[in-house]
Amino acid sequence: MKRTMLLLVLAFLPASAWAGPTIPGTPRDATLGWSGFGQSGSMPWSIVVLLTVLTLLPALLLCMTPFVRLLVVFHFLRQALGTQTAPTNQTLLGLALVLTFFLMQPVGAAIQQTSIAPFQQGKIDAFQALEAGSVPLKSFMLRFVRPKDESLFVELGRVPQPARAEDLPFRVVMPAYILSELKAGFQIGAVLFLPFLVIDMVVASITTSVGMMQLPPVVISTPLKLLLFVMVDGWNLLIGSLMRSFV
């Protein structure tokens, strides 16, 4: 509620409220601060758009980037290794963010060229900038959307099936992309679990057969799984496979 009131106040403030102090001996419109940010007279709306984007940034990061798939796979790996809290959540989040930035850099460069730069130069307004910037992002997401998920949300949203996938609205592409990424993440996680599951089963059967009931099998299998993961250079194989799945 407070955020909504703040946005309304910012929207209705006059443009002069956002201008910096007037420099003595210069024309009236020569001010310090926000000059050149957008077109003349559009300053309050530019601030509203900027604050709205910053508020929605975590959701956008989850909905329109590879962050979901990467984080799901990393958590599956930690569960398969049985290390519980190693690597920590902060480490996995940081690694997923760095890899997401690496993968999204070409898309960000395209958005900068087609949307942000013309908006900063005053050639287009904020809504035109959003529309232009959505094209590279939608193209990236459509590369990984399964036709089955796309058809599901087209049916649920009662959207006419377009001739091209690029003509689908964002309200169809975004949930379809998230669903496809979750499926891909769970598929990779299931494959990761198999070799470590075999180790757990072998260790459990051996400890049970020799009557070693006082020592839990996980205490023996965890070092073995870690040793296997280090010997095969698991992080390099995993990150390389994940990166290639997006290229």
Side-chain angles (χ1 to χ4, degrees), residues 171-184:
R171 70 187 186 97
V172 172
V173 176
M174 289 177 62
Y177 175 76
I178 298 174
L179 197 60
S180 301
E181 287 296 284
L182 286 175
K183 178 177 176 58

Side-chain angles (χ1 to χ4, degrees), residues 74-75 77-78 81 83-92 235:
F74 291 154
H75 279 285
L77 174 64
R78 188 171 65 180
L81 289 173
T83 55
Q84 302 300 325
T85 58
T88 61
N89 289 332
Q90 291 80 1
T91 304
L92 296 181
W235 282 112

Side-chain angles (χ1 to χ4, degrees), residues 18-202:
W18 296 102
T22 303
I23 302 176
T26 58
R28 178 62 180 174
D29 57 350
T31 56
L32 296 175
W34 294 92
S35 59
F37 185 77
Q39 291 182 346
S40 177
S42 64
M43 185 55 57
W45 288 110
S46 301
I47 299 299
V48 171
V49 171
L50 179 61
L51 292 177
T52 303
V53 171
L54 290 177
T55 304
L56 298 177
L57 188 60
L60 297 177
L61 183 65
L62 292 175
C63 296
M64 297 185 290
T65 64
F67 186 80
V68 172
R69 184 192 300 191
L70 297 173
L71 198 59
V72 167
V73 171
F74 291 154
H75 279 285
F76 266 109
L77 174 64
R78 188 171 65 180
Q79 292 296 323
L81 289 173
T83 55
Q84 302 300 325
T85 58
T88 61
N89 289 332
Q90 291 80 1
T91 304
L92 296 181
L93 285 171
L95 181 58
L97 283 173
V98 170
L99 296 178
T100 300
F101 174 77
F102 179 83
L103 292 170
M104 295 299 293
Q105 189 173 8
V107 180
I111 295 175
Q112 168 69 25
Q113 183 178 2
T114 61
S115 175
I116 299 178
F119 175 68
Q120 290 177 339
Q121 296 169 3
K123 298 179 180 179
I124 57 177
D125 58 22
F127 295 102
Q128 292 173 336
L130 289 175
E131 184 177 358
S134 65
V135 175
L137 195 57
K138 185 188 292 186
S139 300
F140 172 81
M141 290 191 293
L142 286 173
R143 289 169 51 194
F144 306 102
V145 172
R146 299 189 307 160
K148 184 177 181 180
D149 298 330
E150 176 186 318
S151 302
L152 172 64
F153 287 100
V154 166
E155 178 185 355
L156 294 176
R158 298 181 180 180
V159 177
Q161 182 67 45
R164 302 183 309 162
E166 290 77 8
D167 297 330
L168 287 170
F170 251 99
R171 70 187 186 97
V172 172
V173 176
M174 289 177 62
Y177 175 76
I178 298 174
L179 197 60
S180 301
E181 287 296 284
L182 286 175
K183 178 177 176 58
F186 273 75
Q187 285 178 334
I188 299 174
V191 174
L192 279 175
F193 250 106
L194 292 179
F196 301 112
L197 180 61
V198 171
I199 295 177
D200 286 332
M201 294 176 62
V202 170

Side-chain angles (χ1 to χ4, degrees), residues 221-237:
S221 63
T222 298
L224 295 178
K225 290 187 289 186
L226 290 174
L227 181 62
L228 174 65
F229 189 72
V230 172
M231 288 179 60
V232 300
D233 199 3
W235 282 112
N236 183 276
L237 292 175

